[in-house]
Amino acid sequence: MTIEIPDHLLEGRTESDIKLQIAIALFQAEIFTLAQASRFAGKTRWDFQQVLGRLKIPMHYGIQEVEQDLKTIEKLFGDSSK
């Protein structure tokens, strides 16, 4: 998807600043997960979480994030149920 914004509306803003603002908005709307928003903004999850914290934007942690974290844990440490 391509979205065009006239340059005169974005005077003084960098591309990375605009991408961060879009990522934050889509994260708040629960359209992007933390991982998706971080990648879109070009930041690590930790750095993106720091930005959210400074802006006092609450984290949402849904089933998709839980499942993703469980897969990561299993990959790192193996299946502990055996």
Side-chain angles (χ1 to χ4, degrees):
M1 170 187 298
T2 301
I3 299 172
E4 291 188 32
I5 302 171
D7 289 339
H8 72 276
L9 294 177
L10 302 175
E11 284 184 26
R13 304 214 184 253
T14 65
E15 181 179 340
S16 61
D17 181 43
I18 298 300
K19 287 178 92 172
L20 177 61
Q21 295 301 314
I22 291 169
I24 290 168
L26 293 175
F27 176 78
Q28 284 185 289
E30 297 189 20
I31 295 169
F32 275 4
T33 65
L34 178 64
Q36 291 169 325
S38 302
R39 273 193 305 275
F40 184 83
K43 297 194 171 290
T44 66
R45 283 191 203 187
W46 175 253
D47 288 341
F48 191 73
Q49 285 176 313
Q50 295 298 305
V51 171
L52 295 177
R54 283 194 300 275
L55 297 172
K56 298 188 182 343
I57 296 171
M59 296 291 302
H60 50 266
Y61 192 70
I63 190 70
Q64 189 175 19
E65 288 85 5
V66 171
E67 289 172 348
Q68 186 176 21
D69 286 348
L70 289 174
K71 286 178 186 175
T72 301
I73 290 168
E74 186 174 319
K75 211 182 284 184
L76 292 173
F77 302 106
D79 188 355
S80 62
S81 65
K82 293 180 183 177

